Amino acid sequence: GENVEQHPSTLSVQEGDSAVIKCTYSDSASNYFPWYKQELGKRPQLIIDIRSNVGEKKDQRIAVTLNKTAKHFSLHITETQPEDSAVYFCAASRGTSYGKLTFGQGTILTVHP
Amino acid sequence: DGGITQSPKYLFRKEGQNVTLSCEQNLNHDAMYWYRQDPGQGLRLIYYSQIVNDFQKGDIAEGYSVSREKKESFPLTVTSAQKNPTAFYLCASSPMGTSSQETQYFGPGTRLLVL
């Protein structure tokens, strides 16, 4: 089955800096890659996703890049703010009709004012 | 997100007891999922269901059971066979047959604790 590895497990940055979280996956048939943000005690919220026919996608301060050949994808957050502090999860799936997702272990991002 | 509800928010289980976690959605989504979240391990899939009266085991189904009698509801039972049930349980749903069919939306979660 699919295996998703996520790094780093913790990331600490100063407000205004950029943050990058990287994930690798094992199943070459995976073609859908979402990123979720989870605040303490809350539900995961989808923040951005990318499909394999696209190499990069951007939404304001958040961007995701995908390298299918190397089987890795990354989340980039620019101009970080304290409210970006949360746990971020990457995931991968084959995009089949039942959308079974395999999640990475998560990255705890702390943005210091 | 607001269309998926889970109850209760906290649940306490005594040893040897079966407990049932509720998950309801009014988003008209066909697929529903149950995940378990432990610290440092991300989300692991317990069971998922694509249509009513059908469900499939995920990666960690042992000690759990589910039913899908209605499209809106997908309850999870944690049986006494699950020896380490303390975790945060998340239910999710997703549409099918659309361009966004892979996108999963999560409920607020149930925290299960063992007495």
Side-chain angles (χ1 to χ4, degrees):
Chain A
E2 174 69 278
N3 183 51
V4 177
E5 296 287 334
Q6 183 173 346
H7 299 281
S9 56
T10 60
L11 181 58
S12 183
V13 300
Q14 289 296 126
E15 183 176 2
D17 288 350
S18 295
V20 180
I21 303 171
K22 299 181 179 180
C23 289
T24 59
Y25 61 98
S26 61
D27 186 353
S28 57
S30 290
N31 58 14
Y32 175 64
F33 308 93
W35 285 89
Y36 286 85
K37 175 184 179 183
Q38 186 179 29
E39 297 176 358
L40 190 63
K42 302 288 182 64
R43 74 186 82 191
Q45 302 256 9
L46 179 73
I47 55 172
I48 195 166
D49 57 14
I50 192 168
R51 288 174 172 81
S52 60
N53 57 345
V54 175
E56 183 175 357
K57 184 176 179 181
K58 193 172 181 179
D59 183 3
Q60 298 183 346
R61 297 186 297 109
I62 295 173
V64 57
T65 58
L66 171 65
N67 183 328
K68 282 217 77 180
T69 303
K71 289 191 281 189
H72 67 69
F73 57 110
S74 300
L75 177 71
H76 304 253
I77 305 174
T78 59
E79 300 172 21
T80 53
Q81 301 166 3
E83 51 264 40
D84 293 329
S85 297
V87 181
Y88 291 81
F89 292 98
C90 63
S93 88
R94 292 188 170 191
T96 59
S97 59
Y98 48 80
K100 183 182 173 186
L101 287 172
T102 301
F103 284 83
Q105 296 86 349
T107 296
I108 301 172
L109 174 63
T110 304
V111 181
H112 299 283
Chain B
D1 286 4
I4 304 175
T5 58
Q6 291 184 241
S7 63
K9 188 173 182 179
Y10 296 96
L11 185 57
F12 298 92
R13 193 191 91 162
K14 295 179 182 178
E15 202 160 327
Q17 185 182 39
N18 293 353
V19 292
T20 297
L21 285 61
S22 169
C23 178
E24 304 276 333
Q25 54 98 2
N26 61 4
L27 301 169
N28 199 33
H29 286 173
D30 292 287
M32 296 185 74
Y33 314 82
W34 274 106
Y35 292 92
R36 170 179 171 143
Q37 186 174 29
D38 296 280
Q41 294 194 42
L43 283 72
R44 293 183 290 168
L45 183 64
I46 305 173
Y47 269 97
Y48 61 99
S49 169
Q50 190 176 359
I51 56 173
V52 174
N53 293 322
D54 186 54
F55 46 83
Q56 307 295 329
K57 291 183 179 180
D59 301 317
I60 55 166
E62 186 175 349
Y64 300 97
S65 66
V66 294
S67 62
R68 187 88 186 274
E69 298 178 1
K70 298 186 299 182
K71 186 176 183 178
E72 305 80 21
S73 178
F74 191 41
L76 173 74
T77 296
V78 184
T79 74
S80 57
Q82 174 49 245
K83 298 306 179 187
N84 184 25
T86 297
F88 189 46
Y89 291 86
L90 287 158
C91 178
S93 69
S94 65
M96 284 176 55
T98 70
S99 60
S100 61
Q101 64 187 18
E102 305 99 334
T103 303
Q104 294 187 19
Y105 301 89
F106 285 86
T110 292
R111 193 165 298 277
L112 177 61
L113 300 166
V114 178
L115 294 177

